[in-house]
Amino acid sequence: MDEFEATRALGALAQPTRLAVFRLLVREGPAGLPAGEVAARLGVQPATLSFHLAQLERAGLLAARRQSRQILYAADFAAMGALVGFLLDDCCHGHPEVCAGLDAAEERAGRAAAKVEV
Amino acid sequence: MDEFEATRALGALAQPTRLAVFRLLVREGPAGLPAGEVAARLGVQPATLSFHLAQLERAGLLAARRQSRQILYAADFAAMGALVGFLLDDCCHGHPEVCAGLDAAEERAGRAAAKVEV
DNA sequence: TTGATATTTCAACAATTATCAAATTATGGA
DNA sequence: TCCATAATTTGATAATTGTTGAAATATCAA
């Protein structure tokens, strides 16, 4: 991910409705949710939501697939991982103070791993 | 960090000039750099830079301190850590696919730690 | 105090972004 | 085919954001 893609992804998430959309779709997992359902749950007009979904998709944070009459949107977890990787790595060069406190998320991920001082 | 602060921080970084400012100041470390020096290095008008510095500071990503006639700006690493923590934790609930590939940054941080499967 | 330097604030303007109603496209069923 | 449903696109408008020159503020040195 380069600086251009990063500003796109950051900009896509830097708006309350879009951040809410992404968070909702993260909870729904790979199956995703039809656009109309997202609009209904968040109380957003279909046309307005469509605008925001397009931005998130253009930034690569959502994947869209049609299923019959509906279009299902799902969060792209790898893309979010790439964005976080950009922030930690390219942007902050793995600075210790930035990385401190990241263990909680990793542990919650349920990865069977433990840290051992060497 | 709540959703409001997160959108602020994301928005602050979602602009090429501001992302460049933050990256520059990360490289300079806690000592920071005077506003004029940042403007000169990035080739941005002082007034324009001042506008962007204010946004980054308002988002908590930069700390400003006056030293004689200059105002030194430095990256706030803890704030960036909090933003990344929000994205991983609150936003993605530590989803494995998002966290995959985060080790590189942590190892680059020079933390004397190794992972062991349990 | 006066002058020079560093930076911010102000005011104006251009560009971008967000919202919504209306029109359009795509799909499936009668 | 015709109709209903799901979603997007378009066009208008309001709101926000980014840029710049000029003016204002703060600090230091003579």
Side-chain angles (χ1 to χ4, degrees), chain B:
Chain B
M1 174 168 292
D2 61 20
E3 219 159 321
F4 176 77
E5 293 174 298
T7 53
R8 271 233 171 135
L10 290 165
L13 295 173
Q15 205 275 347
T17 300
R18 287 197 294 268
L19 184 57
V21 167
F22 188 78
R23 274 157 62 98
L24 171 60
L25 291 177
V26 161
R27 288 198 296 278
E28 292 298 320
L33 231 46
E37 179 69 19
V38 175
R41 289 210 205 169
L42 299 179
V44 178
Q45 297 268 358
T48 302
L49 183 77
S50 197
F51 167 81
H52 290 305
L53 286 171
Q55 297 225 25
L56 284 162
E57 193 187 0
R58 198 165 58 113
L61 290 165
L62 296 186
R65 65 185 197 279
R66 181 177 280 274
Q67 187 178 78
S68 173
R69 260 180 278 193
Q70 1 199 49
I71 297 180
L72 300 178
Y73 285 89
D76 186 321
F77 295 99
M80 181 56 116
L83 175 60
V84 172
F86 173 88
L87 292 178
L88 290 177
D89 240 328
D90 298 75
C91 194
C92 292
H93 312 291
H95 192 288
E97 205 176 334
V98 180
C99 295
L102 259 51
D103 301 336
E106 294 204 36
E107 273 160 27
R108 198 189 293 194
R111 292 206 287 171
K115 288 241 171 119
V116 178
E117 297 296 321
V118 290

Side-chain angles (χ1 to χ4, degrees), chain A residues 34-36 47 50 69 73:
Chain A
S50 198
R69 262 180 275 194
Y73 285 90

Side-chain angles (χ1 to χ4, degrees), chain A residues 8-103:
Chain A
R8 270 235 173 135
L10 290 165
L13 295 173
Q15 206 275 347
T17 300
R18 287 196 297 267
L19 185 56
V21 168
F22 188 78
R23 274 156 63 96
L24 170 60
L25 291 177
V26 162
R27 289 197 296 277
E28 293 298 321
L33 232 45
E37 179 68 21
V38 175
R41 290 212 204 167
L42 299 178
V44 178
Q45 297 268 356
T48 300
L49 182 78
S50 198
F51 167 80
H52 290 305
L53 287 172
Q55 297 226 25
L56 284 161
E57 193 187 0
R58 198 165 58 112
L61 290 164
L62 296 186
R65 66 184 196 279
R66 181 178 280 274
Q67 186 175 79
S68 174
R69 262 180 275 194
Q70 359 198 51
I71 298 180
L72 300 177
Y73 285 90
D76 186 322
F77 295 100
M80 182 55 118
L83 175 60
V84 171
F86 173 86
L87 292 178
L88 290 177
D89 240 329
D90 298 76
C91 194
C92 291
H93 313 290
H95 192 287
E97 206 177 333
V98 180
C99 296
L102 259 50
D103 301 336

